[in-house]
Amino acid sequence: MKTAISIATILTIVISVEVLADENVAQQLIERYATIAKMQDANYAGPSAADGKTFFNREVIQFSGASKKTAKAIACASCHTANPADVGKHIATGKKIPPLSPIVNAKRFDYIEKVEKQFNKHCHEVVGGDCSALEKANYIAFLLEEKTPSTNKK
């Protein structure tokens, strides 16, 4: 019985440290993007989770093909759901997407380079161009606030 408790305790500590590490990386990214945003705009007041939530849910009209025919409005929430602590689903492929919240998904912010690569890819796909440092700082600040999947909220 002591062995089972010890193993469970060790696993809990390891998982907690992993999540804390990802929260630390997320916080480092916020600080990095906020520093850049402040250099770009001296009036920048710092990251805003509320603005990050607005950005996350903001729908952008996409265009398709060389003819630039109007397609549909999409947002980050189109694939990731309104709650980034929930499992998402890609709107085109139907593939499940792990939660964005680093508190729920221990691998979401494991490598800074990977995060930047994903920002580049998805900002171009959803927003239609590069996301600003301000938008990235706000976005991650919002993700850190979402800690509970919808099925667990009462």
Side-chain angles (χ1 to χ4, degrees), residues 33 115-123 136 139-140:
Y33 293 131
V115 173
E116 189 57 35
K117 180 180 175 183
Q118 292 300 313
F119 265 130
N120 287 334
K121 176 182 178 191
H122 295 298
C123 287
K136 292 175 185 179
Y139 182 88
I140 297 171

Side-chain angles (χ1 to χ4, degrees), residues 1-16:
M1 189 68 168
K2 277 186 173 181
T3 304
I5 292 171
S6 297
I7 292 171
T9 303
I10 290 169
L11 285 174
T12 301
I13 291 169
V14 168
I15 290 169
S16 297

Side-chain angles (χ1 to χ4, degrees), residues 55 116 119-121 123-124 127-133 135-136:
F55 178 82
E116 189 57 35
F119 265 130
N120 287 334
K121 176 182 178 191
C123 287
H124 282 267
V127 180
D130 291 332
C131 293
S132 70
E135 290 168 329
K136 292 175 185 179

Side-chain angles (χ1 to χ4, degrees), residues 12-151:
T12 301
I13 291 169
V14 168
I15 290 169
S16 297
V17 169
E18 246 182 57
V19 171
L20 180 59
D22 292 329
E23 286 182 61
N24 286 337
V25 171
Q27 196 60 48
Q28 288 172 17
L29 282 164
I30 290 171
E31 290 169 15
R32 177 185 288 183
Y33 293 131
T35 299
I36 294 167
K38 186 71 171 173
M39 288 188 300
Q40 294 170 338
D41 178 3
N43 295 320
Y44 175 64
S48 164
D51 289 347
K53 183 175 184 175
T54 299
F55 178 82
F56 182 81
N57 289 296
R58 181 181 72 194
E59 290 188 330
V60 178
I61 303 294
Q62 294 297 307
F63 296 92
S64 58
S67 64
K68 299 288 186 188
K69 291 190 295 188
T70 302
K72 58 184 170 183
I74 64 169
C76 302
S78 298
C79 293
H80 293 288
T81 78
N83 180 356
D86 290 340
V87 172
K89 182 179 175 183
H90 194 280
I91 59 174
T93 66
K95 179 182 168 189
K96 285 187 178 183
I97 303 170
L100 281 174
S101 172
I103 294 154
V104 177
N105 179 359
K107 294 184 179 184
R108 182 52 69 182
F109 288 99
D110 53 356
Y111 297 103
I112 290 175
E113 297 80 17
K114 182 178 171 186
V115 173
E116 189 57 35
K117 180 180 175 183
Q118 292 300 313
F119 265 130
N120 287 334
K121 176 182 178 191
H122 295 298
C123 287
H124 282 267
E125 289 176 349
V126 177
V127 180
D130 291 332
C131 293
S132 70
L134 178 146
E135 290 168 329
K136 292 175 185 179
N138 292 343
Y139 182 88
I140 297 171
F142 168 60
L143 297 183
L144 284 172
E145 280 197 347
E146 291 298 328
K147 301 175 181 180
T148 308
S150 297
T151 56

